[in-house]
Amino acid sequence: MERARAEHARPLARRPLVTLLTAAALAASGMTALTSAARAADADLARNGGFESALDGWTCTAGTTVTSPVHSGTAALKATPAGADNARCSQTVSVKPDSQYTLSGYVRGTYVYLGASGTGTTDVSTWAQSAPDWQQLTTTFRTGPSTSKVTIYTHGWYGTGAYHADDISLTGPGGETGQPPAAPGGLKTGSVTSSSVALSWSPVPGATGYAVYRDGARVSTVTGTSTTVSGLTPSTAYSFQVTAVNDAGESARSATVTATTAQRPDDGGGSSDLPAHALVGYLHASFANGSGYTRMADVPDSWDVIDLAFGEPTSVTSGDIRFERCPVAECPNVESDAEFKAAIKAKQAAGKKVLISIGGQNGQVQLTTTAARDTFVSSVSTIIDEYGLDGLDIDFEGHSLSLNADDTDFKNPKTPVIVNLISAVKTLKAKYGDGFVLTMAPETFFVQLGYQYYGTGKWGGQDPRAGAYLSVIHALRDDLTLLHVQDYNSGSIMGLDNQYHSMGGADFHIAMTDMLLTGFPVAGDANNVFPPLRPDQVAIGMPASTQAGNGHVSSAEVNKALNCLTKKTDCGSYATHGTWPDLRGLMTWSINWDRYSNWEFQKNFDAYFG
C-alpha cells in the first residue's frame, strides 16, 4: 500500500514515454491497464469474513459474535484477551504461489491486529493502537513460489479489553481448494450422566476437524473423533449430529443420534433433605474471634446448614486433621462435649445439617502424597463419627491448592494435591453413602478468576493457584451438595461481560454467581468450558457484618442480587444469562458475627424467602 502511494506521487514527466503511449492507446481503445482476465482472477477468499454465520470458518481462542456494534450486516466478531491469550481468531485460506494479495478488515478497540502468516515470503501484519469507532486496516503480501495456503488472523493485546472485527477480506487469485470432506458415519452415544453425553464417530479422510451440533445448533469444534457435550439439563432428551471440516468447507451433517440425560442426582449430593432455599453459616466452634462464642443449642432454627469452624491439620502436608473445641479461657460460656453433641443431634432431628469445615484462613492443607490422602480420610472420618456429623465442608484457602506447570486441563488434573483431594472426598462419599453432605467454600481467586487465568499459563509466570479449585469442583460435581464461593475479601474479578466487578454492591454477587450458573471458558479457551452447576447446588457467600470481612453489603443489596438471579429484576448494568428461581440460598461468615450484629443477615433471609 505504501509503495503504491509513492509511485502515484511521482511527477508524470518522469514516467517512461512508452508507458505513457501505451496508457494513452489503451484509454483510446476503451481498455484499462489491467485486463479483464486479471480482474476476474481476483476474488474475496476469506470465508465468512463478515461473521454473519457466527464463527463458521474461524478458529478463535476467545471469541463470539455480537449484533452490535457491527460495521455492516447483522453480526461482528467480539473477542477478549485474557491472561496469556491475545484472543486470536484465524482461518487458513488456499492461495496461488507467487501471487499478490490484499488483506483488509474493519476493527474497533485498543491494540487490534490484522495479519497473515505462512506467506512463504515476508509475513505481514498491521494494527490500530486505538480505534474508538470502526477503522479499516489493510496490508498486502506476495506468496512464495511454492505457497498454497496462508493463515489470516486478527487478535488483540493482553489485558487491554475486548476488540471487534468485521468485514475481513483477502483479495487475490484463488488456489486449489479441493472438496469438503464426506459426512461422518458411525455417530453413537457413550456415557450419559445428568449433565453430559459422550459422543464418538468414525474418522473421515481429509477432515481437519469436526463440528458438533446439539438440537441443530453448533456447540463445539474438535480435532478428534470423540467429545463430551456438557452443561445439559437432567432428564432431558437431546439430539446430536456432527460434520467434518477442512479448508474447503464443511460436510453435510451426520445421521442424528438421541440421548436422554439421567435424573438429577438429588440424593447423590445429599441435597434432597435441604429446604428449597437454605441458609448456611459457619459456627466458630474452635475460637471466639472477637464475636463471642455461640453455643450450638443457641443457633436459631433459621440456619439449615451449620459448618463447624474449623478442622485443621497437625502440619501442612500431614493430612492429619484435628478438631479442637474452643478452650474455656477463650470461650468462658463454652458447653461441654456431651452438651455439644446433644445439641448437634437436636439440630439434626429438626432437619438441620451439621458439617465439619476443613481449612480456613490458618488451616493450610496440602495432600502431596497418597499417605497424606489416606490419613486425611481416616482423620476426617474420626471427627465425623465422634460428633455424628452429616458431612464435610472444604474451605481450603491460601496455598492449600495450586497447579503444577504441566497441569493445564481442569478436566484432567495432574497435580498431586488436587488429585489426592478428589480421591479422598470420593472415598468419604463412598464410605458414608448418598446422604453424605459435601459443600465447598473457595475464594473467587480459585474459581471465577479461572475465566482469565488458569495455573501458571501457557507461557508461565502466572500465579499457580489461579482457578485451582475448578478441577475439584468439576470432578465432584455429581457429589456436590453446595458450592458457596466466598464473594468477600476478593479483588476485582472479570465477569462474563468482560468487565471487572468489585465488591460493595449487588453487582459483584450477580456477576460472580452468573458465572457459576452459566459456565465459562477456562483461561478464555472456547474449547475448554467449565460447565454450569445446577442452581440448587449454588449459594452466595457473603459476610454477615462489616466486622466479618471486606465486601459486606446492606440487606437491600442482598435482595437486589437475589431478585436479579431468581426473578431477573433489579439487575442493574449486568445482564445475566438466565433466571434461576431454584438458586439454593445464601452462605455467610459467620453465625457468630450475625449474632454480634443482632441477627440482621438471618432476619433478612427469613423475610425474603419466608
Side-chain angles (χ1 to χ4, degrees):
M1 194 68 176
E2 295 303 320
R3 177 179 295 178
R5 290 196 184 108
E7 288 178 351
H8 285 300
R10 293 174 184 169
L12 185 63
R14 295 181 62 183
R15 296 187 181 180
L17 181 58
V18 64
T19 303
L20 297 176
L21 291 173
T22 302
L26 290 170
S29 65
M31 297 175 64
T32 60
L34 287 176
T35 67
S36 298
R39 289 187 181 277
D42 290 342
D44 183 3
L45 307 179
R47 176 178 171 182
N48 189 29
F51 300 96
E52 302 300 315
S53 300
L55 297 179
D56 180 42
W58 296 90
T59 299
C60 299
T61 59
T64 187
T65 53
V66 294
T67 57
S68 179
V70 299
H71 176 257
S72 71
T74 60
L77 169 70
K78 179 182 179 181
T80 305
D85 177 22
N86 61 12
R88 174 184 167 113
C89 283
S90 64
Q91 68 171 266
T92 301
V93 181
S94 296
V95 294
K96 283 190 173 182
D98 198 24
S99 300
Q100 190 72 18
Y101 292 87
T102 298
L103 175 63
S104 179
Y106 288 84
V107 299
R108 285 171 58 114
T110 303
Y111 293 104
V112 193
Y113 291 73
L114 180 69
S117 61
T119 63
T121 55
T122 301
D123 291 349
V124 296
S125 67
T126 182
W127 59 290
Q129 180 174 350
S130 178
D133 202 353
W134 290 108
Q135 176 177 324
Q136 187 177 27
L137 296 178
T138 302
T139 186
T140 62
F141 62 89
R142 191 169 190 86
T143 53
S146 60
T147 301
S148 60
K149 297 181 186 297
V150 298
T151 298
I152 60 174
Y153 63 84
T154 182
H155 65 73
W157 198 246
Y158 311 100
T160 58
Y163 73 89
H164 295 80
D166 200 2
D167 295 332
I168 296 176
S169 65
L170 179 66
T171 305
E176 298 296 329
T177 59
Q179 296 293 323
L187 177 63
K188 60 183 179 180
T189 61
S191 175
V192 178
T193 72
S194 62
S195 60
S196 67
V197 174
L199 300 171
S200 63
W201 54 91
S202 302
V204 176
T208 57
Y210 300 90
V212 181
Y213 290 82
R214 182 190 69 209
D215 294 338
R218 186 169 177 168
V219 293
S220 65
T221 302
V222 298
T223 56
T225 56
S226 64
T227 190
T228 297
V229 181
S230 303
L232 306 180
T233 302
S235 303
T236 303
Y238 293 93
S239 63
F240 302 94
Q241 296 169 294
V242 294
T243 62
V245 180
N246 64 12
D247 294 341
E250 186 174 0
S251 74
R253 297 187 187 183
S254 70
T256 301
V257 297
T258 60
T260 300
T261 50
Q263 292 183 345
R264 174 179 294 172
D266 286 334
D267 58 343
S271 62
S272 58
D273 294 336
L274 291 179
H277 301 292
L279 180 61
V280 181
Y282 287 79
L283 184 67
H284 305 181
S286 298
F287 52 88
N289 199 27
S291 60
Y293 183 80
T294 299
R295 296 163 62 101
M296 174 65 73
D298 294 334
V299 176
D301 288 341
S302 297
W303 300 90
D304 300 295
V305 180
I306 303 168
D307 293 320
L308 304 180
F310 288 106
E312 299 181 2
T314 55
S315 68
V316 172
T317 59
S318 69
D320 188 4
I321 307 299
R322 304 295 176 90
F323 174 58
E324 303 292 340
R325 302 200 48 240
C326 191
V328 175
E330 184 178 351
C331 304
N333 61 322
V334 65
E335 67 269 61
S336 68
D337 279 354
E339 292 171 325
F340 186 68
K341 293 175 182 178
I344 290 173
K345 288 183 178 179
K347 291 296 179 188
Q348 293 168 330
K352 313 305 178 184
K353 305 296 183 182
V354 185
L355 316 180
I356 180 64
S357 180
I358 307 297
Q361 179 178 341
N362 298 325
Q364 304 291 297
V365 182
Q366 297 175 2
L367 304 182
T368 56
T369 64
T370 54
R373 175 200 65 191
D374 295 343
T375 301
F376 180 89
V377 171
S378 62
S379 60
V380 171
S381 297
T382 297
I383 297 169
I384 291 174
D385 294 343
E386 179 179 355
Y387 292 94
L389 304 179
D390 296 287
L392 169 67
D393 173 69
I394 302 173
D395 186 14
F396 285 16
E397 300 180 14
H399 291 270
S400 291
L401 297 181
S402 62
L403 296 163
N404 290 351
D406 64 342
D407 199 341
T408 58
D409 180 5
F410 76 92
K411 297 177 182 177
N412 298 286
K414 301 178 180 179
T415 308
V417 296
I418 303 289
V419 174
N420 289 333
L421 175 60
I422 294 169
S423 175
V425 174
K426 283 187 174 293
T427 301
L428 288 166
K429 173 65 186 298
K431 176 178 180 178
Y432 290 102
D434 290 340
F436 185 76
V437 178
L438 173 64
T439 66
M440 301 182 193
E443 297 163 290
T444 56
F445 189 94
F446 296 89
V447 184
Q448 288 94 337
L449 186 68
Y451 177 50
Q452 285 185 281
Y453 309 103
Y454 189 71
T456 58
K458 295 179 181 178
W459 293 279
Q462 296 175 186
D463 192 318
R465 299 173 298 165
Y469 241 99
L470 293 176
S471 286
V472 180
I473 299 168
H474 185 68
L476 298 170
R477 63 173 54 237
D478 287 340
D479 302 311
L480 180 64
T481 309
L482 281 176
L483 176 71
H484 31 65
V485 175
Q486 300 177 35
D487 286 1
Y488 46 89
N489 299 333
S490 170
S492 297
I493 304 291
M494 181 179 284
L496 295 181
D497 58 353
N498 295 316
Q499 303 297 316
Y500 284 96
H501 298 269
S502 302
M503 299 182 301
D507 172 83
F508 188 71
H509 298 295
I510 293 167
M512 295 301 100
T513 308
D514 181 63
M515 296 179 77
L516 303 176
L517 297 172
T518 304
F520 54 87
V522 176
D525 185 351
N527 295 316
N528 196 29
V529 175
F530 177 79
L533 293 166
R534 304 190 316 266
D536 67 282
Q537 290 179 298
V538 176
I540 311 172
M542 302 176 171
S545 66
T546 56
Q547 299 92 342
N550 295 321
H552 174 261
V553 296
S554 68
S555 294
E557 293 298 303
V558 173
N559 293 347
K560 284 182 182 178
L562 291 172
N563 285 341
C564 179
L565 293 163
T566 64
K567 304 173 185 177
K568 218 173 181 80
T569 61
D570 286 339
C571 287
S573 61
Y574 185 90
T576 62
H577 294 75
T579 307
W580 302 279
D582 293 333
L583 180 74
R584 182 64 78 174
L586 300 179
M587 174 275 278
T588 193
W589 177 264
S590 62
I591 294 173
N592 303 61
W593 281 117
D594 195 35
R595 181 182 186 182
Y596 185 87
S597 299
N598 195 32
W599 302 112
E600 178 184 353
F601 194 88
Q602 171 205 300
K603 289 176 181 177
N604 183 66
F605 179 90
D606 289 343
Y608 188 91
F609 288 111

